[in-house]
């Protein structure tokens, strides 16, 4: 069992600067996701950074639409919770090799934030008292259940190999070999399920056009900004986490560590956005069974393989 | 035990405890199933916060994780099984108010008297450096039999619940003589079966 003496970010920089830095990183990651998305959609990079900012400013100034007899409390709560939870999930994602919060259950924390995000999205669908939003919310709830277990097993696999649920220990355990080499299935499942928790790309059925935008159909103004920004931040946090858990984080030759991590995160973001935009939305009734019948056994076998490797001393 | 904790921790636990009780009360005060569900989730999250204040990170985070999933599923089923499935009709979580008040107050008195009068054992040994590891070793070691029985019991309950809840059985899916090669399901699901 490796014990690392890595200090957390607050220990290194002080609490307030560390929190601010991580929040800024989160917003930056969200902006990166939005910019890459804009570039992929438009097919050109010109204005890719400015356009999301302009759109954000427009949403800030836009007057809020409302619906008949909404559940205002839960609606607002859901909208605010989306970006807050996305930022909270960043607390255990290493920034420059250190995390804002280092506990013996980092991976479970990340998973818990995803679960809370899942519940928050249902609130966003529930709040407006509108049919399409509610249908999208229920869709997401049913789908999220099917994504949750494979995602958990992917995270468990990482924890088993590292012998710890601490993110910095996972980074240290990948000194010799990136985890993606021995656990490609867990990597793919982690990235795909995380995209699914942000109802991104082929998993966008909760917001798809057949239900007029679903969960997001009644959002306007600052509410829409919060949900869309939270979605971007969460996708970015996921990419950073995937880079840390499976791609060795900040390890790499020649370049300094943080730059490597940035490059890997950018690579995962680009892949997520590019692939997501090129795949059609999957129909839940034709795919949910795949999650239960194929992905769960696959991730279990992956965990078994890694557990056998651990017992044989492969990662030591 | 109290003497081991700093003033801040005691204050945090007190505030979170009050918050959890207040959210718990809110469950029976609000008039919508969604609000009741999320009030209950708020109560559980406050309890998770108490565990966090005790430095039991894994237990705290797992409580938050599991209760969130549970409450979200509960919201779906409770709303589905309500008189008004849209769930927006005013409702109440209180049934048999007098009886439940008596039972609730009785349970509260018994628990409170028990907690404050029992001669709790003093701590033996030291605080572990890593409570998560200690928990894992206990679950996979000395308490494995209990955990296995509980796990199988829970799993059997889930299966039994599903079997009781579903209206369709194998005869609906595979025909009266169970001879059909492919099940006749209303929603295909995705796999070629």
């Amino acid at each position: 069992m490796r014990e690392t003496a890595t200090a957390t970010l607050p220990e290194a920089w002080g609490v307030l600067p560390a929190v601010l830095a991580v929040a800024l990183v989160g917003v930056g990651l969200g902006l990166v996701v939005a910019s890459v998305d804009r570039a992929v959609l438009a097919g050109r990079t010109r204005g890719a950074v400015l356009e999301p900012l302009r759109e954000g400013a427009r949403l800030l100034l836009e007057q809020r639409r409302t619906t008949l007899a909404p559940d205002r409390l839960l609606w607002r709560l859901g909208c605010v919770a989306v970006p807050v939870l996305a930022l909270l999930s960043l607390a255990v994602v290493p920034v420059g090799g250190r995390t804002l919060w280092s506990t013996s259950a980092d991976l479970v924390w990340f998973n818990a934030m995803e679960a809370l995000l899942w519940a928050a999205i249902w609130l966003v669908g529930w709040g407006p008292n509108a049919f399409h939003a509610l249908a999208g919310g229920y869709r997401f709830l049913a789908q999220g259940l099917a994504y949750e277990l494979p995602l958990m097993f992917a995270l468990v696999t990482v924890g088993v190999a590292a012998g710890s649920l601490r993110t910095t220990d996972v980074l240290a355990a990948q000194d010799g070999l990136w985890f993606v080499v021995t656990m490609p299935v867990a990597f793919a499942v982690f990235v795909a399920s995380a995209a699914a928790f942000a109802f991104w790309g082929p998993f966008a059925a909760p917001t798809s056009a057949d239900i007029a935008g679903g969960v997001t159909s009644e959002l306007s103004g600052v509410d829409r900004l919060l949900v869309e920004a939270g979605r971007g931040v969460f996708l970015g946090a996921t990419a950073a986490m995937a880079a840390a858990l499976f791609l060795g984080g900040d390890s790499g030759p020649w370049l300094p560590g943080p730059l490597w991590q940035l490059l890997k995160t950018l690579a995962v973001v680009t892949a997520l956005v590019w692939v997501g935009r090129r795949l059609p939305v999957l129909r839940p009734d034709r795919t949910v069974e795949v999650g239960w019948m194929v992905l769960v056994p696959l991730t279990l076998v992956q965990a078994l393989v890694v557990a056998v490797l651990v017992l044989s001393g492969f990662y030591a | 035990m109290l003497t081991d904790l700093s003033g801040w921790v005691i204050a945090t636990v007190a505030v979170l405890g009050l918050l959890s009780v207040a959210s718990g009360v809110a469950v029976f005060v609000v008039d919508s199933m969604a609000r009741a569900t999320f009030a209950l989730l708020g109560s559980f999250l406050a309890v998770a916060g108490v565990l966090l204040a005790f430095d039991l990170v894994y237990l705290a985070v797992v409580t938050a994780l599991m209760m969130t999933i549970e409450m979200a599923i509960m919201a779906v089923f409770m709303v589905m099984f309500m008189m008004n499935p849209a769930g927006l009709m005013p409702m109440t979580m209180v049934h048999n108010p007098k009886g439940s008040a008596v039972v609730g107050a009785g349970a509260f008195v018994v628990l409170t008297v028990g907690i404050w009068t029992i001669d709790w054992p003093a701590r033996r040994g030291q605080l572990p450096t890593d409570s998560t590891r200690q928990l894992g070793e206990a679950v996979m070691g000395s308490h494995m039999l209990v955990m296995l029985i509980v796990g199988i019991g829970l799993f059997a309950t889930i299966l039994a619940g599903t079997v009781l809840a579903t209206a369709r059985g194998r005869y609906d899916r595979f025909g009266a003589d169970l001879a059909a090669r492919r099940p006749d399901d209303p929603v295909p699901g995705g796999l070629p079966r």
Side-chain angles (χ1 to χ4, degrees):
Chain A
M1 298 303 102
R2 300 164 190 82
E3 287 298 326
T4 46
T6 321
T8 57
L9 282 175
E11 281 162 12
W13 300 346
V15 176
L16 199 62
V19 170
L20 277 178
V22 170
L24 270 179
V25 166
V27 175
L29 281 173
L31 186 60
V32 165
V33 170
S35 304
V36 173
D37 185 37
R38 206 52 66 106
V40 167
L41 274 183
R44 59 186 156 79
T45 51
R46 193 164 50 82
V49 179
L50 274 182
E51 269 175 49
L53 288 176
R54 199 178 300 143
E55 173 72 8
R58 187 188 70 75
L59 284 175
L60 261 185
L61 299 173
E62 187 183 74
Q63 196 177 4
R64 198 185 247 154
R65 264 187 301 127
T66 191
T67 50
L68 182 67
D71 191 336
R72 227 171 241 116
L73 174 70
L74 292 188
W75 197 8
R76 301 274 185 272
L77 198 67
C79 289
V80 172
V82 174
V84 168
L85 292 170
L87 285 176
L88 280 179
S89 72
L90 263 176
V92 295
V93 176
V95 175
R98 289 168 176 174
T99 51
L100 182 61
W101 195 43
S102 188
T103 69
S104 50
D106 285 353
L107 298 184
V108 192
W109 169 268
F110 193 79
N111 202 228
M113 291 307 114
E114 278 168 329
L116 278 165
L117 188 77
W118 175 59
I121 296 295
W122 184 76
L123 280 186
V124 176
W126 169 270
N129 185 25
F131 171 74
H132 289 120
L134 190 59
Y138 276 133
R139 249 187 209 185
F140 189 55
L141 218 48
Q143 281 180 274
L145 263 188
Y147 309 143
E148 177 62 33
L149 277 181
L151 179 65
M152 267 187 195
F153 286 131
L155 285 171
V156 163
T157 312
V158 172
V160 166
S164 166
L165 297 171
R166 200 186 295 270
T167 328
T168 45
D169 288 353
V170 174
L171 280 182
Q174 296 179 78
D175 255 354
L177 190 68
W178 294 359
F179 277 173
V180 70
V181 179
T182 45
M183 42 186 99
V185 177
F187 174 64
V189 165
F190 177 80
V191 174
S193 333
F197 267 94
F199 39 98
W200 178 257
F203 307 102
T207 56
S208 70
D210 64 332
I211 44 173
V215 172
T216 56
S217 59
E218 298 296 342
L219 293 177
S220 57
V222 69
D223 292 338
R224 180 172 286 272
L225 178 65
L226 285 173
V227 170
E228 294 289 345
R231 190 184 187 187
V233 173
F234 180 70
L235 274 174
T238 299
M241 196 61 164
L245 295 185
F246 295 98
L247 303 178
D250 50 7
S251 70
W254 309 307
L255 299 173
L259 199 59
W260 265 116
Q261 197 184 359
L262 186 65
L263 284 176
K264 288 171 189 174
T265 306
L266 282 180
V268 179
V269 164
T270 313
L272 257 176
V273 172
W274 193 84
V275 173
R277 281 293 181 191
R278 259 158 188 76
L279 291 178
V281 172
L282 296 172
R283 272 181 54 177
D285 59 328
R286 297 212 176 147
T287 44
V288 160
E289 213 174 53
V290 178
W292 290 105
M293 309 288 284
V294 178
L295 286 186
V296 171
L298 257 184
T299 44
L300 276 176
V301 169
Q302 169 78 85
L304 177 70
V305 167
V306 167
V308 170
L309 284 177
V310 167
L311 288 180
S312 69
F314 181 80
Y315 296 105
Chain B
M1 159 102 194
L2 278 175
T3 48
D4 292 350
L5 301 170
S6 74
W8 278 110
V9 173
I10 294 176
T12 314
V13 169
V15 169
L16 285 171
L18 280 178
L19 201 66
S20 77
V21 173
S23 309
V25 170
V27 172
F28 299 97
V29 173
V30 295
D31 63 351
S32 105
M33 184 55 82
R35 287 191 176 194
T37 305
F38 278 84
L40 194 51
L41 177 59
S43 181
F44 281 127
L45 290 182
V47 172
V50 170
L51 290 172
L52 204 59
F54 287 152
D55 211 16
L56 298 169
V57 181
Y58 180 83
L59 282 181
V61 178
V62 140
T63 303
L65 174 67
M66 287 303 157
M67 286 307 134
T68 306
I69 297 176
E70 201 165 291
M71 287 305 114
I73 296 171
M74 191 186 90
V76 179
F77 279 92
M78 295 295 258
V79 171
M80 214 157 53
F81 290 144
M82 275 170 69
M83 310 290 192
N84 166 20
L88 285 172
M89 182 195 270
M91 50 72 74
T92 170
M93 290 287 275
V94 182
H95 306 284
N96 182 15
K98 273 184 197 147
S100 52
V102 169
V103 172
F108 181 79
V109 168
V110 168
L111 287 176
T112 319
V113 169
I115 288 168
W116 287 103
T117 52
I118 283 178
D119 188 16
W120 294 102
R123 170 182 284 147
R124 289 169 297 161
Q126 291 294 307
L127 262 182
T129 45
D130 186 348
S131 59
T132 305
R133 179 168 297 280
Q134 196 194 31
L135 180 70
E137 276 162 3
V139 168
M140 299 305 284
S142 53
H143 294 75
M144 192 161 199
L145 187 63
V146 179
M147 295 311 289
L148 273 179
I149 292 173
V150 169
I152 292 172
L154 278 174
F155 189 58
T157 313
I158 293 169
L159 285 187
T162 312
V163 168
L164 288 178
T166 182
R168 288 168 54 80
R170 54 185 166 155
Y171 296 109
D172 302 298
R173 300 185 71 221
F174 291 98
D177 46 1
L178 298 177
R181 289 191 57 225
R182 295 168 74 101
D184 173 28
D185 290 335
V187 180
L191 289 181
R193 284 192 290 145

